[in-house]
Amino acid sequence: MKKCFAVLLALGMLAALLSGCMYEKAETRIDVDGSGSVTVTFGFSEELVETCGLYQEIEEASFTPFTYNGRTYYGDSATEAFSDPGEFNAIFAQASDSAEDSGAADMGTVTLSRGADGSLTLTFLFGGETGAADALEKTVETHAAELTAAQKAALLDGMVALYEFTFPGEIRQVNGGSAGVTVSGNTLRIDLLKLELGAYRFTTAADAQQEALTVPPITPMAIPASGVARARTQKIDLDGTAVSFRTYALVDENGGETNFVKLRDVAYALSGTAAQFGVGWDGDVLLVPGASYQPNGSEMSTPFSGDRVYQKALAATKIYGQNVPLTALVLTDDQGGGYTYYRLRDLGQALGFNVSWSAERGIFIESGKPYTAD
């Protein structure tokens, strides 16, 4: 995979034109112990190469022709092995980062975990702001506006983006929609161009429903629809390490304060711990426990200073498709960008990590322990 993306990024002209591959397929074999391999094949359609006169670049890159669904592409492939789910997750995180660096559409996060009973569970958070087809269409319009409608249609028609996973046992779908998803025996196939934004989960567990997340009952806090949130700086002990968060507090009539923490700051701070979770958006906020968090550059910084007018968040918060009534604020920067802030205890209760307070430690998070009401 490293070779694959290195070659792709070397073709700056093509990357700039397309913001991604015309053809990309990742085939993953997963063994019983969670090891396996990923083979990525990518290519550019013959129509693209001919239309843009890229034969010299294709030859210099040593791309070879191959056929898919009767269409010819020029490309390359590479295989990378992984020894456990952790290495699997690192491979897909690297692929996501490489795609983002080249300006490609957000394909979301893919996370593999292995249960104590030996079952394998794959979580896919498809939460990008746009799909691959939309991103390609916009990029073609920007960089190749002189092409005729027929030429653009030919380029878009050649777009292929597939994930295919082969498991050691029968796979079942637990969460997510059916568009773009095909499950057959031990094979899972995901067509990213047909997929709807959201969270998807698949498992080899004998009882698939046991893999569905049960969110404990949460009582939302009653807050005004809008008001002023007070700027604060809060030191929080995360597994023994002090982390400074910029928080915003709502002050009640008695002077009591309830602090709210930016969602992406919490996800960023917990990345790589037992309590890590992915964040996505499809009109609702999507949270996926256990999924790798993909930063967007806004983490641990605040694009405004001082107290700020807030609006009560209207978008639902969903965990594997289940609406969770968490209390959240939306603060807006001067350019109209919104940032969502949650009560930290609500997040701990919903996602299963402990949040507490003591005179010695102040507010603290224990990522490896379940939430308690202490």
Side-chain angles (χ1 to χ4, degrees):
M1 181 172 289
K2 293 176 182 177
K3 173 192 173 187
C4 176
F5 280 102
V7 172
L8 172 61
L9 294 175
L11 286 176
M13 179 177 178
L14 295 180
L17 174 65
L18 292 177
S19 288
C21 298
M22 290 296 293
Y23 175 101
E24 183 172 352
K25 183 177 182 180
E27 299 173 276
T28 304
R29 188 201 78 251
I30 304 173
D31 297 328
V32 173
D33 62 356
S35 64
S37 63
V38 182
T39 298
V40 173
T41 303
F42 72 93
F44 301 94
S45 69
E46 189 172 37
E47 291 89 344
L48 170 67
V49 174
E50 182 175 351
T51 298
C52 298
L54 299 175
Y55 284 106
Q56 181 176 346
E57 288 83 355
I58 291 298
E59 183 177 353
E60 291 175 352
S62 299
F63 283 0
T64 57
F66 63 91
T67 302
Y68 177 80
N69 281 349
R71 187 185 295 270
T72 298
Y73 297 84
Y74 293 86
D76 197 3
S77 66
T79 299
E80 189 166 347
F82 54 90
S83 61
D84 54 40
E87 288 192 1
F88 169 97
N89 297 336
I91 287 174
F92 275 88
Q94 176 193 0
S96 178
D97 291 344
S98 297
E100 182 180 354
D101 290 342
S102 68
D106 185 358
M107 294 292 95
T109 61
V110 185
T111 305
L112 179 68
S113 62
R114 189 169 185 268
D117 60 354
S119 62
L120 295 162
T121 299
L122 183 79
T123 301
F124 182 38
L125 175 59
F126 189 55
E129 295 180 356
T130 182
D134 289 340
L136 179 63
E137 184 172 7
K138 291 177 181 178
T139 307
V140 168
E141 184 65 31
T142 300
H143 295 281
E146 73 281 1
L147 299 182
T148 66
Q151 288 173 325
K152 292 177 184 177
L155 298 183
L156 298 175
D157 183 54
M159 184 71 173
V160 178
L162 301 171
Y163 282 158
E164 189 168 285
F165 302 90
T166 302
F167 288 81
E170 185 176 359
I171 186 80
R172 301 170 179 82
Q173 184 170 356
V174 179
N175 298 99
S178 59
V181 176
T182 303
V183 178
S184 178
N186 66 339
T187 301
L188 165 65
R189 183 183 177 93
I190 299 176
D191 186 336
L192 298 172
L193 301 184
K194 298 178 181 178
L195 202 66
E196 297 173 346
L197 299 182
Y200 298 79
R201 204 177 198 203
F202 309 88
T203 184
T204 61
D207 184 357
Q209 294 309 311
Q210 291 181 356
E211 288 295 314
L213 180 69
T214 301
V215 181
I218 295 175
T219 302
M221 176 183 176
I223 63 173
S226 63
V228 176
R230 308 298 180 183
R232 299 288 186 263
T233 298
Q234 186 74 59
K235 292 280 188 180
I236 297 178
D237 181 332
L238 172 55
D239 294 335
T241 300
V243 181
S244 181
F245 289 89
R246 181 67 178 272
T247 64
Y248 278 83
L250 299 190
V251 183
D252 63 27
E253 62 274 13
N254 299 316
E257 295 191 357
T258 301
N259 275 294
F260 290 75
V261 185
K262 190 167 67 178
L263 177 63
R264 287 190 172 272
D265 288 356
V266 179
Y268 181 82
L270 290 174
S271 182
T273 73
Q276 72 175 9
F277 62 94
V279 177
W281 170 262
D282 67 350
D284 296 323
V285 179
L286 308 175
L287 306 182
V288 184
S292 300
Y293 174 69
Q294 295 299 310
N296 70 356
S298 68
E299 295 79 13
M300 308 308 288
S301 64
T302 307
F304 33 73
S305 61
D307 298 344
R308 201 76 178 174
V309 173
Y310 77 86
Q311 302 291 326
K312 183 177 179 180
L314 298 179
T317 301
K318 292 184 176 181
I319 300 180
Y320 296 137
Q322 179 179 346
N323 283 342
V324 183
L326 303 181
T327 307
L329 314 176
V330 175
L331 304 182
T332 306
D333 63 24
D334 294 339
Q335 288 71 45
Y339 301 82
T340 308
Y341 287 69
Y342 286 79
R343 282 198 300 178
L344 185 59
R345 279 188 176 272
D346 282 1
L347 291 175
Q349 187 175 1
L351 298 170
F353 59 87
N354 193 37
V355 178
S356 192
W357 180 91
S358 71
E360 298 78 19
R361 301 176 66 183
I363 299 173
F364 62 88
I365 297 173
E366 296 172 305
S367 66
K369 294 184 178 181
Y371 179 83
T372 64
D374 296 341

